[in-house]
Amino acid sequence: MTTNRSYHITTFGCQMNKADSERMAGILENMGFVWSDDPHQANVILYNTCTIRDNAEQKVYSYLGRQAKRKHEQPDLTLIVAGCVAQQEGEALLRRVPELDLVMGPQHANRLQDLLESVFAGNQIVATEEVHIFEDITQPRRDSKITAWVNVIYGCNERCTYCVVPNVRGVEQSRTPEAIRAEIESLGKQGYKEITLLGQNIDAYGRDLPGSTPEGRHKHTLTDLLYYIHDVPGIERIRFATSHPRYFTERLIKACAELPKICEHFHIPFQSGDNQILKEMARGYNQEKYRRIIETIREYMPDASISADAIVGFPGETEEQFVNTLKLTEDIGFDMLNTAAYSPRPNTPAALWDNQLSEEVKSDRLQRLNHLVAIKASERSQRYFGRIEEVLVEDQNPKDPTQVMGRTRGNRLTFFTGDINSLKGQLVKVKITDVRAFSLTGVSCQ
Ligand code: SAH
Ligand code: SF4
Ligand code: F3S
């Protein structure tokens, strides 16, 4: 056991990983470890990893190489790899980096204390078996005091042919509505103003929980959950991500329109605008259905912000099929779109197909799509000009300490002049005076 008990966590990847890191940090603090900003001062180093694309995975290895060297000079260093690369590679990771003490998949995040105690007793551990995720009894150490992630469903039962997530995050496991509400109530009491409910496929929430309604639908859908948690005192804003077009219902849209705390921002990845490609991706919807969802959202909430993810250069994608993605992007007018070139992933069907595209074609398409995304986002930002928007102040502007920053309900990052000490956590009416593709500037109306 070490005397200097300090830790550092480096987090890669999505919001799920960020939330897991906050819970693991909570466990470490509960064990008496203190956070060290500098990883070189810490003697427990944890990498919470992502493997969604090859470049994400490679990044992890380059970090690990450096820390492994350090371990030879500092034998009391504890090196942990958690998250999705850990799950994907398991034992193989130990062979590649024998200096590692603990390799643990995402489902084991809440078990960090037990695992570490065993490491301190002299073991080298790989924890990647499928487990039921137990409710965490420790408080997460959250990065923000204003906004918080709340997991509602872990894992994913979809089998999109390009995606590693079901392999590394396991099957869907919903938390009970009671546990979710209890966490949100505690956040409200601690002064948090905004929560984001998290799931890889959040619309699947509740389908693994027992119980159905007299009409035969699941009793615990995401829509029911929103009604159930909506009135938690102190919480002013509710968001959720990520939505899957296959399951996005009108009932959910109505609930979002009806419940005032739910922000008018929806993140609904479409992946491709071409029906044949969508079929090969096994997404379970076509582009017409996607368009209908967005139309329905805009009928109920005309100002709603829409963001999404898209992949270019999926195996076999023709120029014409790619143009269909451009068309959908043009027609919908996304407020934000995360784009990526297709990356073949281990143990996914599409990686084995023999119609892979060249890197040149993929990067050319990525550039063309990104160009359009920036144009459309600028157009979408125009609507804010001169308007009064509600901004939840989260922080100082790191580039200009006379300004604070926060987000609008539509999730646009917004800057305005003000003192962070008096404004942090406040909902401020801001008149928008300057618009850019992905951010806004304004003046406080107070
Ligand atoms: N559960 C979400 C997204 C999870 S992964 C959904 O169903 O949409 C986040 C994003 O990474 C995906 O939306 C997709 O656009 C991208 N992605 C996933 N696998 C990929 C791959 N093999 N290559 C490139 N991008 C990928
Ligand atoms: Fe991956 Fe598809 Fe699941 Fe999203 S829904 S995490 S893209 S398998
Ligand atoms: Fe990456 Fe795992 Fe999230 S692969 S995107 S960190 S679920």
Side-chain angles (χ1 to χ4, degrees), residues 13-14 17 49-52 84 165 169 200:
C14 66
N17 258 17
T49 61
C50 172
T51 184
I52 199 79
C84 297
V165 171
R169 292 249 159 201
Q200 275 298 359

Side-chain angles (χ1 to χ4, degrees), residues 2 6 39-45 66-80 99-101 119-120:
T2 61
S6 64
H40 297 285
Q41 298 300 318
N43 52 12
V44 169
I45 306 249
R66 271 172 265 154
Q67 294 300 339
K69 264 198 212 123
R70 212 185 117 198
K71 180 136 181 177
H72 294 282
E73 290 132 39
Q74 190 192 332
D76 76 340
L77 187 67
T78 303
L79 268 184
I80 308 171
E99 292 84 353
L100 292 179
D101 296 287
V119 165
F120 293 147

